[in-house]
Amino acid sequence: MAKETAVLARQADVRPWQEDLYRDLHRHPELSHREHETAAKVADGLRRSGFQVHEGVGGTGVVGVLSTGEGPTVLLRADMDALPVAEATGLPYASTATTTDAAGHQVPVAHACGHDMHVACLLGAADLLASGSGHWQGTLVALFQPAEETGDGAKGMVDDGLGDLIPTPDVAFAQHVLPGPAGQVGTHAGHTLSAADSMRVTLYGRGGHGSMPQATVDPVVLASMIVVRLQTLVSREAPPTETAVLTVGRIQAGTKSNVISDQAVLELNLRTYSDQTRQAMLEGIRRTVRAECQASGCPRDPDFELFDRFPLTDNDAATTERVARAFRGFFGDRAQDLGQQTASEDFSDIPTALGAPYTYWGVGCIDPDTYRKAAEAGRVAQEVPVNHSPAFAPAIQPTLDVGTQALVVAALEWLGP
Ligand code: ZN
Ligand code: ZN
């Protein structure tokens, strides 16, 4: 019997508590950096499965380590945080939670990105691998990360000494539920998820009366010029074979029709798939903004502030091919190519810091019949709610089973003998 078949033989025993845990996490979502109850449930589960447990890593991060002797170290990662979204799925276990955000506003909270599914899959896989530890040799690291949505949870764990708590991984894996048919898994080698950068630009003009523009430097006109001029960065400066997306998502200036403001703030979002294009675009934005400020005769240089930054997810080719082969062997034609995605992730900050190759795969989570009907009508985009939508509703099964199997199959591909 293949070792994955032996380890997964107990899946029927694990399934009921895994489904209960999923519904419980779904009902009790927590925002980024505040995953206290989620982390406590995770630590509890890992201890019951026999893992050595480190808590409070990078805030609320939890790391379980289980060693069965000489052999490779495999790191499996799940993220734990939810989003300030009002759930509108109508599910019996839908979240009705609210909390106060960092700015003091009352906000709804929901697992609109499916991280509760990632936690339930990884805790189940960890338990199966622990009870089946007679079938493999090496070290398993089950890592539960806070604050993926804010892009700083993975880095927070690294900065808090993650590297000293665990042996250096030989390979690292993470997965994400996506709006494809449940039952499928998708891998992709190379640039898979985009790098993302947000930038806040503050422009300094000179305020005055709307009837006397000659005495002012109008930051509204300046901001407008900048927005138009920035459009040429993608169309004229990025190589046509490279993907780059630049969106000005926010402009803020002024208080009244006849008052010329002394300041304007722009917030931009940039998506790129290579470090070279990323750096060139960021420099192009700074250069364009500075030049427009100079053209307007601003009294002060603009300020630039980068925030919500996500690294490029660049799946190691050899690692991805080995996982893809194992998935094809186990899942048959339900294992597919994921293709390049425009979403972003901070998972790769962990393997990059620890010097480990990694791959990140997708797990379909939409009820297969619902998906098929939408696909046949050519209305997937209109009818299948995506991650971050208030209506995002993963089908518990077969998503939970498949996400658990994918982690076990990939881990055992490395864990000896
Ligand atoms: Zn998300
Ligand atoms: Zn997510």
Side-chain angles (χ1 to χ4, degrees), residues 252-263:
Q252 195 269 314
T255 52
K256 194 172 185 299
S257 63
N258 65 349
V259 176
I260 293 173
S261 163
D262 61 356
Q263 237 188 56

Side-chain angles (χ1 to χ4, degrees), residues 60-139:
T60 53
V62 182
V63 185
V65 182
L66 183 73
S67 191
T68 64
E70 282 293 301
T73 295
V74 174
L75 185 150
L76 304 175
R77 171 272 205 179
D79 41 9
M80 303 189 285
D81 53 331
L83 286 160
V85 168
E87 180 162 352
T89 59
L91 291 166
Y93 50 89
S95 165
T96 55
T98 59
T99 190
T100 312
D101 71 6
H105 302 123
Q106 193 75 9
V107 291
V109 194
H111 267 297
C113 204
H115 299 184
D116 46 354
M117 186 66 81
H118 307 165
V119 171
C121 287
L122 180 50
L123 261 191
D127 188 67
L128 288 167
L129 285 160
S131 61
S133 61
H135 297 281
W136 56 272
Q137 233 174 291
T139 300

Side-chain angles (χ1 to χ4, degrees), residues 87-304:
E87 180 162 352
T89 59
L91 291 166
Y93 50 89
S95 165
T96 55
T98 59
T99 190
T100 312
D101 71 6
H105 302 123
Q106 193 75 9
V107 291
V109 194
H111 267 297
C113 204
H115 299 184
D116 46 354
M117 186 66 81
H118 307 165
V119 171
C121 287
L122 180 50
L123 261 191
D127 188 67
L128 288 167
L129 285 160
S131 61
S133 61
H135 297 281
W136 56 272
Q137 233 174 291
T139 300
L140 178 68
V141 178
L143 182 146
F144 296 80
Q145 180 209 305
E148 184 282 326
E149 296 292 353
T150 49
D152 55 354
K155 189 164 181 308
M157 292 186 80
V158 169
D159 292 347
D160 198 22
L162 172 66
D164 300 328
L165 298 176
I166 59 171
T168 303
D170 291 280
V171 72
F173 301 126
Q175 60 182 1
H176 207 297
V177 288
L178 294 171
Q184 293 192 358
V185 290
T187 52
H188 189 74
H191 300 164
T192 300
L193 306 179
S194 67
D197 300 274
S198 284
M199 186 191 269
R200 189 173 296 114
V201 180
T202 307
L203 307 169
Y204 299 97
R206 186 159 52 244
H209 200 288
S211 68
M212 293 177 257
Q214 75 279 14
T216 73
V217 174
D218 187 344
V220 171
V221 175
L222 169 60
S224 308
M225 295 298 213
I226 289 172
V227 171
V228 173
R229 178 82 203 212
L230 286 175
Q231 306 307 311
T232 64
L233 284 181
V234 172
S235 68
R236 303 288 81 188
E237 294 193 27
T241 50
E242 279 273 325
T243 303
V245 184
L246 175 57
T247 295
V248 181
R250 180 170 173 255
I251 295 191
Q252 195 269 314
T255 52
K256 194 172 185 299
S257 63
N258 65 349
V259 176
I260 293 173
S261 163
D262 61 356
Q263 237 188 56
V265 176
L266 303 178
E267 285 185 3
L268 328 166
N269 185 261
L270 175 67
R271 307 270 163 158
T272 51
Y273 289 94
S274 78
D275 279 334
Q276 207 183 349
T277 302
R278 182 185 203 178
Q279 294 316 323
M281 292 290 288
L282 286 172
E283 197 34 54
I285 293 167
R286 292 191 189 95
R287 189 195 74 235
T288 302
V289 171
R290 280 197 200 101
E292 287 292 343
C293 288
Q294 208 175 4
S296 293
C298 288
R300 209 183 125 180
D301 285 340
D303 287 330
F304 301 96

